[in-house]
Amino acid sequence: MGKQEGGGEESLPPLFESRRARFIGLYRVFASTILVGVCLIWVYRVTNIPRAGEAGRWAWIGTLMAEFWFGLYWIITQSPRWNVTYRQPFKDRLSHRYEDKLPGVDIFICTADPKMEPPTLVINTVLSVLSYNYPTEKPSVYLSDDGGSEFTFYALLEASRFAKYWIPFCKKFNVEPRSPEAYFALHSDVHDIKYGQEWLEIKKLYEEMKNRIESAVATAEIPVEIKKQHKGFSEWNLKVAKNDHQSIVQIITDGRDINAVDNDGCQLPTMVYMSREKKPQQPHNFKAGALNALLRVSSEISNAPFILLLDCDMYANNADSIREALCFFLDEKYGPEIAYVQHPQGYNNLTKDDIYGNECFVINAVELAGLGGYGAALFCGTGCFHRRECLFGRKYSKDYRGHWNIESQKTIDRSIKELEESAKALISCSYEKGTQWGKEMGLIYGCPVEDIATGLAVQCRGWKSIYYNPERKDFLGVAPNTLDTALIQHKRWSEGLFQIFFSKYCPFIYGHGKIHLGAQMAYCIYLLWAPFSFPTLYYVTIPPLCLLHGIPLFPKVSSLWFLAFAYVFIAKNVYSIVEALRSGSTLKAWWYLQRMWLIRRITSYFFAFFDTIKRQLGLSETEFALTDKVITDDVSKRYEQEIMEFGSASIMYTVLATSALLNFLSLVWGTKRVVMDRHSKSLDQLISQVILSGILVLINLPVYQALFIRSDKGHIPSSVMFKVSHIPKAGEDGRFGWIGLLGAELWFGFYWILTQASRWSPVYRHTFKDRLSQRYENELPGVDVFVCTADPTIEPPMMVINTVLSVVAYDYPPEKLSVYLSDDGGSEITYFALLEAAKFAKHWIPYCKKYNVEPRSPAAYFVSSDDALDADHNQAADLAGIKKLYKDIENEVEDAVKLGRISEEVRSKHKGFSQWDTYSSRRDHDTILQIVIDGRDLNATDVEGCVLPTLVYLAREKRPQYHHNFKAGAMNALIRVSSNISNGQVLLNVDCDMYSNNSKAVRDALCFLMDEAEGNEIAYVQFPQNFENDTKNELYSNSLRVISEVEFHGLDGYGGPLYIGSGCFHRRDTLCGRKFIKGCKSEMKWEISRKREETGIHELEENSRSLASCAFEENTEWGKEMGLKYGCPVEDVITGISIQCRGWKSVYCNPTRKAFLGIAPTTLSQTLVQHKRWSEGDFQILLSKYSPLWYAYGNISLGLQLGYCCYCFWASNSLATLFYSIIPSLYLLRGVSLFPQVSSPWLIPFAYVIIAKYTWSFVEFLWSGGTILGWWNDQRIWLYKRTTSYLFAFIDTILNSLGYSDSAFVITAKVSDEDVLHRYEKEVMEFGASSPMFTILATLALLNLFCFLGVVMEAIMGEGMTKLYETMPLQILLCGVLILINLPLYQALYLRKDKGKMPSSIAFKSMAFSVFACICFKYLY
């Protein structure tokens, strides 16, 4: 600080005063009452959360979180309001004390684009500061032109000439404002003749200058004679592009030159044009980089101690602004600690009621004044006076007294050229490398709001800052005059502010202990704008949706809790109105501001949040979007009439329009609900939500007008309502790929919606078997178990009898249990194996019941029993004996299998073999039926004298001329035969490889079927399919884990799961075609048929054989209305849906101990063939009369219809998946982007859907008991199925529908070679077979690899990886993921040497196909 003569500084009156706002204490009391209300709302929310299962629970919890955020944010907003401070400078004291010692001031003006920021606009700002009421030798004006435009330079040159007339005119007549354009617009009628004459002359000069500039810009050419008048134009003789040019520094007016004078002979201020060096590969750090360059250049030329920063559209509206600012800096007591003085941003083009809320009356008058009260005013980037030393990184110390009255560092001995050359070196691209610029010196880099971060950093170095808001605004700019521009501006601000919160400059971390806690909180008012979007979006979405469903989220009007909500709402908004009116706003402007705050929060702040997160994850870089200062006349006219402008197609408008329409529909429906309620219950419960929707509808009135009423160019484009505006135009590259992707994504979206049906209403069931035993043990119904086999080669007899033995040994009264083996292979070896099993069962059943064995399949039990029996010597001895017996029968059966026939010795021991005397082949033989164990026979007992279950062998009649209808025909034959022999009320059918793993499963099923309340409406109980041979990470994803653990539970919630053909307990009469009749009960109790008891075994066999003859079903309803349906490879699913459509329900039972375990496919080929059969059958159902879309309509719930469709649409999924696997990669090779770029806000929905969907899929899989690698294998197999199994299934179904082929039934092999099994156990994929499916897989894998390598090579050789990343990130990601998924394929093609590798013929064909496709698409398409 300069020393005072003749006395101490303490005696001098201050140059400014600070005054606290009135009634602060009263306001604090009022705010405390609102805080109490907020706390009561929180208490209400926490104490009234709906219980699990109650409607609206999650909506309530979400509302609690939203209101907690609203309350917390409101508390933060109180920090500046509790310390509002106003400042008043005393310019007369400044003049009296320092007029001859006033310091130099460097004024920085920044522009970046001559189109968005016209040169005439820029020079008006320049002229306004050149003519400040300040000694003209003291200010220096620097214009930074980041556009490097010679038109801007030319305009500045013209302004320097006009200034010679303008500055004297302004000072002579004390003109305000001193921007010519603004001045002439305000003063168009001058009555004083003398003044009027000079006014006309100066206006003519201005108009001529303006016309010359605009003419040059319009013609894009500066006249040659003008270029010759100044050497500066020679800089543009070189190749100058906006982002690629050399440093340009031109001193247009040299304030040292005694000849540089105005029209009155007074010295002119220094005026400098600067355009820093730009290179494409070098970051230029936007406005922060430009200001730092100005700091260095100005320090070389004028080096004033104080600096004023201005945007090019922010002209000086007060000629005394510098003097007012210096009152703060030069104050003897507080001046040395002040780093900067911030003025509010005002605008000269505001409408009467500020339609877009640009002025921010309350922020300027209250919040920023409150921050200033803590000595921590925000640095807002424009209209700010700085102490130079502070911007250069100096820390504040208490002994600092300031150095402002030293002589300027202008070097008189140095020529203009020397100064220009030395300054150019300071603004080269490489100057800042290895320095503290952008870190500790100058403005901070890496953030769109570099000003806020810089101001905070200055304050944390110990400096104070002042906020000064005079009655006459010191600076006026151009406010956004379209909604799109206003929203983009706020997106940039909120994005930058949120980035600060995430950075090391977060006020609560960086500012801790350095600035006041109130200032830290006040900073966060703006830093947390972006996350405010989520609770706001929630509040404008979920309560209206709940209103549609009649779910109340607020207290009843009659409840005392309602008072808390009402008080907070009314008090907060009433005070908001009062605050706005006191700040100079109008009531209508306040309403417009509420609308804009809502719109900003659900659009600008929402997208800013996601862009910030993308940047934090390294997925995008900081961008700086300029606000356009140019508009068309019709837009300007609508703006002046305060009509909102929606003319562009913006994703923000899509969000806005969606929210508006949602609330409108909710209001209409909610009002209808309230009005139609006779008891006024809805009025009491839902009135708060109706009011909320009503307010939102009122706020959105301009949106409805723009959507449906307005016809001008400012209405909302139809593409916002139906968003397809990004499809390339006809002739543009990528059009057909884009349209195809649109179709694929529509399909994926539609299919995803289908999959949600099975996730919205899951049901988990638990049985009480003890209650069943207590209530019905003596009345348990008969149970007939059907085991089906078809080929002894694919389904070995030992595997079949293990399944038979597992169900024969059920924990169930044996006299009520009958087991039927259907052998569609008609094999005497299978029959022989069953005979051996019958003998073994006499020992096995008592052993199982004695030791409560699990599982009761001998082979599975012996594998798992060795370690568990060390402590039990008695059981160990019995185990050894039973093992020996099992080994003996295993050897007998295996010997017969190897021999291929049954020895005559064995054949002679049992009469049943005689039935093979007339046997011709497996497709041509009589009915073979043998009751191996007759449960009625008192002599048919086990070794402990207990009755054995009935055991029956059946090979139905087969003739070449008759269709045997595969497994459905076998099952129907079993239903008829069993009805004649045992006629159990309950039927269980299992595949021959699906042994019982839980001896109590039959009792679990009966708990459902015999339940007194709901049992009578249950047709079947389905257990999941599980497999004993799955690898740790489920290499082929055979378990369908998510389907069995999630989706089937969801279907159960709608009335029942699918019947999947195995592990299912049926009520017999439902399979025989009975319809459900409400109130009609069917008895499940055990009844002994006297007629059956009196019938001899031979007669029973003979009577039953005819039921399994080929001709029996002719002219009957079997296969139509009775039994399992015919004509479909998935007869089970179609049968299940027909049962449910007859009114029955089904139940899904998934106990902790799995009820059944089978053998999963051990090769990829088997898995794909199995899924081809399933998906083909499901798709046939969709196209048949049994389609869930029409056959089930009105008969089952919509959720269950959608659930069925999830599987019926498997086959058609192939087309969209194939398109997605091929086309984006091929277009990647051509460099054509089919997805949004990194910089586009449209990337957000893509990124969100990808991340959210696959994160949930991952969580769902792990929750279902899977592993991380298992989930990855599951994704791979789904891709393989969709591109092969489902594709062939789709084609075969279409051919079948057209009559070109018949349905086939392919049995999945249960036998594998040892080396195949060894690779399976090691989780090495098996590709050894030659299959067209493998050709497709290999071709797709190689095509994606070639496309990826091709585009990477082009990027390296051409524009670089950064360009590729910016333009096609999602295509690269998609192609990369497909390559990672296909790694096992590449290994099988080129790296592996074992027998499981891909056959060379497939490798050759797939390479040829993929190379051909890439070449054709790249060069011929």
Side-chain angles (χ1 to χ4, degrees), residues 388-396 440-442 461 463:
R388 180 182 288 270
E389 294 170 291
C390 298
L391 285 179
F392 273 76
R394 176 167 185 151
K395 292 184 178 180
Y396 173 73
E440 298 299 322
M441 295 176 67
R461 291 199 290 267
W463 297 94

Side-chain angles (χ1 to χ4, degrees), residues 671-707:
T671 304
K672 171 183 172 292
R673 186 185 294 274
V674 169
V675 171
M676 299 294 289
D677 185 2
R678 296 178 182 177
H679 305 291
S680 299
K681 185 178 179 182
S682 295
L683 179 65
D684 194 27
Q685 292 181 333
L686 299 175
I687 190 63
S688 297
Q689 278 154 273
V690 172
I691 291 171
L692 175 61
S693 284
I695 292 171
L696 291 170
V697 166
L698 288 175
I699 282 178
N700 282 305
L701 282 178
V703 179
Y704 305 129
Q705 292 171 348
L707 277 170

Side-chain angles (χ1 to χ4, degrees), residues 807 809-813 817 849 852 854 856 999-1000 1002-1003:
V807 294
Y810 262 141
D811 181 13
Y812 201 72
L817 191 63
K849 293 186 177 179
N852 197 25
E854 294 289 0
R856 296 193 175 180
S999 62
K1000 293 180 171 54
V1002 62
R1003 293 179 178 270

Side-chain angles (χ1 to χ4, degrees), residues 67-246:
E67 287 169 350
F68 180 77
W69 174 265
F70 289 147
L72 185 65
Y73 188 80
W74 178 84
I75 291 170
I76 292 174
T77 64
Q78 299 313 296
S79 61
R81 286 172 168 80
W82 285 39
N83 195 33
V84 177
T85 303
Y86 301 111
R87 317 281 186 181
Q88 179 62 46
F90 302 110
K91 293 175 290 186
D92 53 340
R93 296 178 186 176
L94 176 80
S95 300
H96 177 72
R97 204 173 300 169
Y98 297 116
E99 186 63 36
D100 297 333
K101 303 176 182 178
L102 291 174
V105 178
D106 289 345
I107 302 171
F108 298 167
I109 298 170
C110 295
T111 184
D113 190 320
K115 293 181 179 178
M116 298 180 75
E117 298 166 336
T120 51
L121 175 85
V122 176
I123 63 165
N124 267 279
T125 300
V126 171
L127 288 165
S128 71
V129 295
L130 281 173
S131 52
Y132 262 136
N133 184 17
Y134 201 69
T136 52
E137 71 277 8
K138 301 291 178 80
S140 300
V141 180
Y142 294 80
L143 176 64
S144 168
D145 177 19
D146 259 11
S149 169
E150 63 178 341
F151 298 103
T152 303
F153 174 71
Y154 167 58
L156 192 63
L157 196 62
E158 287 281 0
S160 69
R161 296 168 180 163
F162 177 70
K164 296 177 181 180
Y165 303 92
W166 178 246
I167 294 173
F169 175 80
C170 291
K171 294 187 176 182
K172 181 177 181 180
F173 298 107
N174 196 23
V175 163
E176 291 288 2
R178 298 196 174 180
S179 159
E181 188 74 26
Y183 172 72
F184 292 127
L186 287 172
H187 303 86
S188 57
D189 184 19
V190 181
H191 300 288
D192 181 67
I193 297 174
K194 182 180 178 183
Y195 179 73
Q197 184 62 34
E198 294 192 32
W199 182 88
L200 290 172
E201 290 175 1
I202 199 73
K203 184 177 182 183
K204 181 182 177 184
L205 288 173
Y206 173 72
E207 294 291 345
E208 289 173 351
M209 175 191 70
K210 182 179 176 182
N211 290 336
R212 287 194 298 270
I213 295 170
E214 290 180 346
S215 175
V217 171
T219 59
E221 185 178 358
I222 297 171
V224 176
E225 60 272 15
I226 293 176
K227 286 188 174 183
K228 291 178 180 179
Q229 294 174 11
H230 198 284
K231 63 180 179 61
F233 287 107
S234 62
E235 296 282 3
W236 282 269
N237 292 338
L238 303 171
K239 183 181 178 182
V240 172
K242 180 178 178 180
N243 292 315
D244 188 4
H245 61 80
Q246 77 284 4

Side-chain angles (χ1 to χ4, degrees), residues 602-663:
I602 65 174
T603 56
S604 303
Y605 301 168
F606 179 66
F607 289 105
F609 180 90
F610 281 103
D611 280 356
T612 303
I613 299 301
K614 277 166 53 182
R615 181 183 179 277
Q616 294 297 119
L617 297 174
L619 300 176
S620 68
E621 295 181 357
T622 299
E623 292 188 351
F624 192 97
L626 287 176
T627 305
D628 199 346
K629 312 301 188 301
V630 182
I631 57 168
T632 58
D633 289 340
D634 60 329
V635 171
S636 180
K637 184 178 179 181
R638 286 191 290 274
Y639 175 66
E640 290 167 2
Q641 293 175 346
E642 296 196 331
I643 298 173
M644 293 193 92
E645 186 71 28
F646 296 93
S648 60
S650 167
I651 187 174
M652 294 192 191
Y653 294 165
T654 305
V655 175
L656 178 58
T658 303
S659 169
L661 291 173
L662 170 65
N663 279 280

